[in-house]
């Protein structure tokens, strides 16, 4: 019987030691990194309001205004996938939203050096004929 006790005790101790080691690793991995902060806008970046509310111009229709950016579609990595543009309608009535993929847009600095001119290679008729974007919440 004396030989069985150490064997049973040893068998019970292995899971306990493994649990304690796992708990120590779990505590080590749950430490979060402290937040970092900006004091100014980094070069080559811009704020979302540089896009939202701005007109989108048609590069195929002599830079005519063809819609207003109402929203941005951003992925989990923080990259802009598309801009939502309100097109058609009159005084906000009958307007529909169309999502234009980010890569389809061209952003250039306005001559004032602060604002962006946003153009797309599409006509107003093409945007009005495009399928409406339905935002799923």
């Amino acid at each position: 019987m004396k030989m069985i006790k150490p064997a049973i005790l040893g068998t019970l101790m292995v899971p306990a030691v493994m649990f304690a080691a796992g708990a120590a690793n779990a505590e080590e991995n749950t430490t979060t990194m402290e937040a970092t902060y900006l004091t100014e806008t980094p070069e080559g970046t811009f704020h979302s309001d540089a896009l939202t509310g701005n007109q989108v111009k048609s590069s195929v229709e002599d830079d005519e205004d063809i819609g207003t950016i109402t929203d941005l579609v951003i992925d989990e990595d923080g990259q802009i996938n598309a801009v939502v543009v309100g097109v058609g309608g009159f005084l906000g009535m009958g307007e529909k939203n169309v999502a234009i993929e980010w890569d389809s847009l061209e952003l250039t600095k306005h001559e004032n050096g602060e604002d962006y001119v946003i153009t797309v290679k599409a006509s107003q008729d093409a945007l009005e004929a495009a399928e409406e974007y339905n935002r799923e919440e």
Side-chain angles (χ1 to χ4, degrees):
M1 202 81 161
K2 288 184 180 180
M3 294 301 275
I4 294 176
K5 257 186 179 176
I8 291 174
L9 186 58
T11 304
L12 294 175
M13 289 299 290
V14 170
V17 169
M18 289 174 59
F19 176 76
N25 283 341
E27 285 179 26
E28 186 177 306
N29 291 336
T30 59
T31 354
T32 58
M33 192 168 94
E34 190 173 324
T36 56
Y37 306 96
L38 297 176
T39 57
E40 57 187 46
T41 305
E43 189 172 326
T45 65
F46 55 87
H47 293 267
S48 64
D49 64 359
L51 298 177
T52 55
N54 285 345
Q55 291 291 315
V56 175
K57 298 180 178 297
S58 170
S59 63
V60 297
E61 292 181 332
D62 298 323
D63 291 334
E64 289 293 319
D65 292 340
I66 57 175
T68 304
I69 297 176
T70 60
D71 205 355
L72 305 176
V73 179
I74 302 171
D75 67 19
E76 291 177 347
D77 293 328
Q79 301 298 311
I80 301 172
N81 285 342
V83 296
V84 179
V85 179
V87 297
F90 181 71
L91 298 175
M93 301 294 290
E95 184 176 87
K96 75 173 185 178
N97 288 323
V98 175
I100 301 173
E101 289 187 19
W102 180 251
D103 292 338
S104 297
L105 299 173
E106 183 177 332
L107 271 66
T108 54
K109 283 278 193 177
H110 190 273
E111 56 193 37
N112 66 15
E114 294 178 17
D115 298 322
Y116 285 94
V117 176
I118 304 152
T119 56
V120 64
K121 191 174 184 175
S123 67
Q124 184 163 357
D125 288 341
L127 287 182
E128 289 177 5
E131 192 171 330
E132 185 169 8
Y133 175 73
N134 294 309
R135 179 178 172 161
E136 295 178 16
E137 296 196 34

